[in-house]
Amino acid sequence: MWLGGAPISTASQTDQLVQFAAKARLPVLYPSRTAVDRGGLMSYAPTYEERYGKAAIFVDRILKGAKPADLPVEQPTKFELVINLKTAKALGLTIPPSLLARADEVIQ
């Protein structure tokens, strides 16, 4: 199940979503590693540095007088895959070794 769109906005919403998925025994791919840190199964998303670092650069340009409409649209270039093995075990899932090898971080 993919929960696309905007990242979850608050910690309480993230916790509620993770708890709902666990109770319903749903494997969920989250749009942010925050949910995985809180017990979600896995996420594949741009790194925090990629998202917020670029945002800071754009804010700096705007504060220096650049018009937002003149700034280029940029796609993230660095993504990270985070897997929570404790959650996988609770869901009765076996994560293939080939996927674990590709993960940037595996939470035990």
Side-chain angles (χ1 to χ4, degrees), residues 37-72:
D37 291 335
R38 294 172 179 270
L41 178 60
M42 66 176 62
S43 68
Y44 184 69
T47 63
Y48 284 131
E49 294 82 10
E50 181 81 10
R51 278 191 272 178
Y52 301 115
K54 292 219 185 236
I57 292 168
F58 276 71
V59 169
D60 179 60
R61 290 178 184 168
I62 292 167
L63 291 175
K64 290 180 178 174
K67 294 180 182 177
D70 294 338
L71 296 175

Side-chain angles (χ1 to χ4, degrees), residues 9-107:
S9 61
T10 68
S12 66
Q13 289 174 322
T14 300
D15 289 340
Q16 288 175 344
L17 184 58
V18 168
Q19 290 169 9
F20 172 79
K23 186 175 180 180
R25 300 189 50 77
L26 293 172
V28 178
L29 175 64
Y30 295 91
S32 167
R33 73 163 293 145
T34 303
V36 181
D37 291 335
R38 294 172 179 270
L41 178 60
M42 66 176 62
S43 68
Y44 184 69
T47 63
Y48 284 131
E49 294 82 10
E50 181 81 10
R51 278 191 272 178
Y52 301 115
K54 292 219 185 236
I57 292 168
F58 276 71
V59 169
D60 179 60
R61 290 178 184 168
I62 292 167
L63 291 175
K64 290 180 178 174
K67 294 180 182 177
D70 294 338
L71 296 175
V73 174
E74 295 186 16
Q75 292 289 330
T77 58
K78 183 162 176 16
F79 290 76
E80 69 178 346
L81 173 62
V82 182
I83 301 171
N84 188 324
L85 283 181
K86 189 185 317 182
T87 301
K89 183 177 180 181
L91 292 172
L93 300 173
T94 301
I95 306 296
S98 59
L99 186 58
L100 290 173
R102 293 180 179 205
D104 295 288
E105 185 174 345
V106 176
I107 298 171

